[in-house]
Each structure stands twice: as structure tokens, then as C-alpha cells.
Amino acid sequence: MQLSVVIPIHNEEPSILPLYDRLTAVLERLRKPYEIIFIDDASTDRSFDLLANLVETDARLKVVRLRRNFGQTAALAAGFDEAQGSVIISLDGDLQHAPEDIPALLEKIEEGYDIASGWRKNRLDNAVTRKLPSRIANWLMARVSHVELRDFGTTFKAYRAEILKDINLYGELHRFIPALATLYGARIAEVPIRNMQRASGGSHYGLGRTFRVMFDIFTIWFLLKYFTRPMHFFGKWGLVSAVAGGGILTFIGADKIWTGHDIVQEHGPLMLAGALALVTGVILFCTGLLGEVLTRTYFESQGRRIYAVREIRTRRDPQVADGAAGGR
């Protein structure tokens, strides 16, 4: 089993050398072939220079420098694309993740799990700006995805490489990889890890990230439930809206015929609401149909499957086996 350790960094100059020393010490003790991949997300300090010097002394180290600051999700995706190992471990480059916890993650992978996700059981972050929003987001994500994790947000995870091949990352969805992996039947375990104080510098995230996380949770919910059948979502609400709008307009038309009331004077606002609901229903139907076309285009143009095979077993024919043995 070869290990690939992927570490996205952005202006982490003070942490790079201590992290490298601790990481290599842990990996050497594991006695497994490994590679370390640093992804420099357009750092403006001396992070890349330090890594470039380290590359000259360690053939198992690779440094990928992005052209501009694409964000952590893109940096991780670049690292996953470069990784050659059968097991990929990701962690942050600010020393808030202890490399010494890697063996605990690998134990779960060796037990047969596809993903071993770190759980910062005792978080050291600010209670108001980090802990509380994180707990709310983790609770919502667990309910939406039906993945019982208590810490979706940590980058410190171990994956079987074949799981990551089925997942495309966009936006800031790296924290929800376990949820996306459930689309392909991934088996997930949670492992308590240490949460260390930052050695230097400050967090790149603030309270404002909470709103983006909420949008991501809605995105994950839609992908998990309606990714291969968008018409079931848009068609349902389109039908409700169209029936409501049609009912309102039918009522107004009947009232006009039977009583002769002036529609605009008697039912002006109601008429507008009915027309809007009817048009909205038609739009939702069209959106659902467009989604169905795009879904088929996505899968068929890339040759992707809507299922994932874990393994295939067949029973060997004894007669064939005996005949082959006799032929030798």
C-alpha cells in the first residue's frame, strides 16, 4: 500500500519545515512507500522557496505551484490528481493537524473503510465565531446527507484512491467529500484527532464563511437526492405552482361568467398571483426538463456510470480448472 500525503498551503512559511520534519518521521515509522505532495496555492511569502529547496533533498517530495490563488478545494483537487498512492491522506499545512494521528486514520482504512475522517473532539477555536457555527453546520449536514459525522469541516482525512476518482470538486465542497462519496457507496469511519493551536499567523476563514457553507449544504442535499433525476424536484414544485395558478384563474374566470364582476377591479391582485403561479409552474417544468437533458449529457459524454462497483466475484468452473491443469 503506497501512501500519498496531500497538503494545500497558502502563506504557511513558519510551519513548513516543522511540518515536514514531523511528517517524514511519522511516515518512516510506518515502513510503507509514500510520497508527499505540497500544493502551493499562490503564496506570497517564502513558502514556495522553502519547498523548492526541500525537493532537492527528498525524491519522495513533490511541489505543485498554482498560477493564482484558487482556494483550498482547487488545491486539494490538484493534489488528488497528482497522487499516485492507493491511499491518499489530506491535512492542512498550518500544524493544527498532528501528523502523529495519521496511523489512527490508516487503521480504519486497513479495517476496510473507504474514508477515515478526522474528528476534532476538543476544538480550540473561538466558541462564538467558529465552534457554534460549525456545530450547526455539521448537524445540518449530517441530517441532509445521512452520514453520521460530527466534523465535516476538517481537511484531515484518509481516502482510498478509487473513491476520489469518482468525485469532482467545485466551489468549496472539499469539506463534504464524505457526503459526496455516499453517492458511490463509500464506507466511512470517524477518528478522533488532536486539534492544535496554530503555530503562527491566523485563520484564512471567518464568520462570513457560514453563509457559503449553508449554500453548500443545500447544493449537497440537491446532488444527493436529485442529481440523476432533477425533474422529480422541479416537476413536483412546478406541478404545485401550475395547479394553484390554474385553479385561481379558473375561479376568477367562472366568477366573471356567473356574476359579471369586473376582474381587474374585484380580483386584480388575485389574478396577478394566479398568472404568476401558472408561469412559475411552466418555468419549473422547463427547468426540470433541461436538467434531465444536462444529466444525460453529463453521463453519456464522459462515459460515466450512474452506479459504482465495489468488486466482482465469479465461481471458477472446476472442469475448466482441471483441464487447464491437465494441459500443463
Side-chain angles (χ1 to χ4, degrees), residues 33 86 89 128 141 146 148 155 201 207 227 257 283-284 328:
S86 58
I89 302 164
V128 176
M141 196 63 226
H146 303 291
E148 294 302 322
T155 308
L207 187 60
F227 180 49
I257 293 172
I283 292 174
L284 288 173
R328 290 193 299 269

Side-chain angles (χ1 to χ4, degrees), residues 189-259:
E190 194 167 47
V191 180
I193 59 173
R194 285 166 282 185
N195 183 216
M196 317 297 289
Q197 291 281 7
R198 287 182 63 95
S200 61
S203 172
H204 300 301
Y205 298 104
L207 187 60
R209 187 183 63 158
T210 302
F211 299 102
R212 298 198 299 271
V213 170
M214 295 304 169
F215 297 147
D216 288 339
I217 289 175
F218 179 79
T219 300
I220 293 296
W221 169 79
F222 183 83
L223 290 176
L224 292 177
K225 198 166 185 180
Y226 298 106
F227 180 49
T228 58
R229 48 192 182 98
M231 190 61 177
H232 288 201
F233 175 78
F234 293 104
K236 175 178 63 178
W237 294 111
L239 180 62
V240 170
S241 183
V243 169
I248 291 172
L249 294 179
T250 300
F251 165 76
I252 294 174
D255 184 66
K256 171 65 175 177
I257 293 172
W258 292 335
T259 65

